[in-house]
Amino acid sequence: MTYVSPRELIAPFLWVGQRGLQVMFQGYFDDSGTHDGSRIAVWGGLIGPSENFDQLDRRWRALLARPLEGKPPLKKFSLAKCINGEGEFSSYNQADRDLVRRRFREAIIETDVAALAYIVYAEDWEQILTARDKEYMGKAQNICFKSLLQDMTKYAVGENEHVGLYFDAGQQGLDAKAILYAWGSTHPEFNEKVSVTFSAVASLTGLQAADIVAGEAYRHGLHLKDPKKHPTSAHFEDFTARQNTLFAILDGDAIRKMMVKWRIKMRSEFGIAV
């Protein structure tokens, strides 16, 4: 797996902006493991120039129309349902599911967009944070979402760079709205350079592609947590070996260190004892 800084992910695309032309980036992000009791929480997806996502959209829709020979068109691609042979994939055998999973993955790789995911050990989060901590920090997925906003702000730093972000509408809850409001209030450059849209996964092929990244990141997090029970897959290894990727992981030790600093800051700057 290749670990690079968020800015390095899109470095190949930045020469256009440096020449004075406007660069429009798009980012599509979905969640995984955000249900109660999950061991891992993830926000993950893709970012790249808008024209690259136009290419991905054409490839994706062609695959939806004809996923495999003899199979009916798909309404959307869902990694979890594909892996488990559920819903539209109930008639697919294991070989079919592996093949169609690879075809949609290839569409992402061939489009040349960057993949990134933010993974937190949710069960460690629940054990380490006190009830008072959680009043301010909320669920584990919140730190993933905030980290995503932080890095997306870093993306659109050039005079001619702008980012349009698209998120799964299923996560447009109070936490997401509060985090967006707080981040925008303290980072005006985010409001100036970044636009945010929540949409149904079925309606945007970019979000369906993000579902693959989030799903693979979730399974990778489980593998890191318990490699014997959750071995890594050939699909994940192929994707990370060939795709420009950043998988940021917040494990138990990192959570403890983060919370020590956060509690000190809350006391010193806001006079709040946590």
Side-chain angles (χ1 to χ4, degrees):
M1 187 187 304
T2 303
Y3 288 89
V4 297
S5 71
R7 190 67 178 168
E8 287 178 296
L9 280 174
I10 57 169
F13 311 131
L14 296 180
W15 66 273
V16 178
Q18 292 167 358
R19 292 179 58 185
L21 302 176
Q22 188 176 78
V23 182
M24 294 297 295
F25 292 108
Q26 290 180 358
Y28 294 83
F29 295 94
D30 197 10
D31 63 290
S32 186
T34 53
H35 54 279
D36 290 342
S38 176
R39 302 183 69 188
I40 306 293
V42 173
W43 271 95
L46 300 159
I47 187 165
S50 297
E51 55 266 29
N52 291 44
F53 280 104
D54 291 340
Q55 297 173 22
L56 178 60
D57 181 70
R58 291 191 291 271
R59 291 172 181 265
W60 205 270
R61 292 187 185 281
L63 285 171
L64 290 175
R66 192 175 182 181
L68 291 179
E69 187 69 33
K71 296 295 184 182
L74 298 170
K75 293 180 180 178
K76 74 171 185 177
F77 182 83
S78 166
L79 180 62
K81 290 185 177 181
C82 177
I83 290 173
N84 297 321
E86 299 172 347
E88 294 185 277
F89 300 96
S90 59
S91 66
Y92 286 54
N93 59 34
Q94 184 62 58
D96 291 336
R97 298 199 299 273
D98 281 336
L99 179 56
V100 75
R101 185 177 173 184
R102 180 177 68 81
R103 287 186 173 179
F104 279 93
R105 182 174 72 252
E106 289 286 343
I108 297 173
I109 295 171
E110 292 171 1
T111 306
D112 192 27
V113 289
L116 62 161
Y118 305 82
I119 306 167
V120 62
Y121 287 5
E123 64 179 2
D124 290 2
W125 180 272
E126 291 297 320
Q127 293 171 4
I128 293 168
L129 271 67
T130 66
R132 181 69 164 164
D133 293 330
K134 293 172 187 174
E135 288 181 17
Y136 294 92
M137 303 290 282
K139 297 180 179 179
Q141 67 161 308
N142 289 359
I143 194 65
C144 297
F145 191 74
K146 182 180 178 181
S147 298
L148 190 155
L149 296 180
Q150 178 177 330
D151 283 342
M152 291 304 101
T153 304
K154 295 176 183 177
Y155 278 122
V157 296
E159 180 180 354
N160 299 298
E161 297 166 30
H162 301 270
V163 179
L165 297 181
Y166 299 85
F167 298 109
D168 176 8
Q171 288 297 322
Q172 192 182 3
L174 292 176
D175 283 359
K177 289 180 179 178
I179 294 170
L180 277 167
Y181 176 79
W183 187 261
S185 298
T186 55
H187 297 79
E189 69 276 20
F190 180 82
N191 293 327
E192 295 168 2
K193 294 285 188 177
V194 182
S195 62
V196 175
T197 302
F198 286 86
S199 182
V201 175
S203 66
L204 292 179
T205 55
L207 284 178
Q208 294 176 45
D211 170 75
I212 290 181
V213 178
E216 293 289 7
Y218 172 75
R219 287 163 180 79
H220 179 59
L222 289 176
H223 165 70
L224 294 176
K225 193 77 171 168
D226 191 348
K228 290 185 178 180
K229 186 176 179 180
H230 301 279
T232 190
S233 73
H235 291 281
F236 176 81
E237 292 177 346
D238 175 68
F239 183 72
T240 54
R242 300 169 57 203
Q243 183 77 4
N244 195 14
T245 60
L246 167 66
F247 281 49
I249 302 165
L250 195 67
D251 60 12
D253 288 340
I255 293 171
R256 290 186 184 92
K257 292 177 182 177
M258 181 191 74
M259 292 308 299
V260 168
K261 294 179 180 178
W262 181 78
R263 289 164 185 155
I264 292 172
K265 183 175 181 179
M266 291 292 284
R267 286 194 297 268
S268 62
E269 295 188 14
F270 305 104
I272 298 174
V274 289

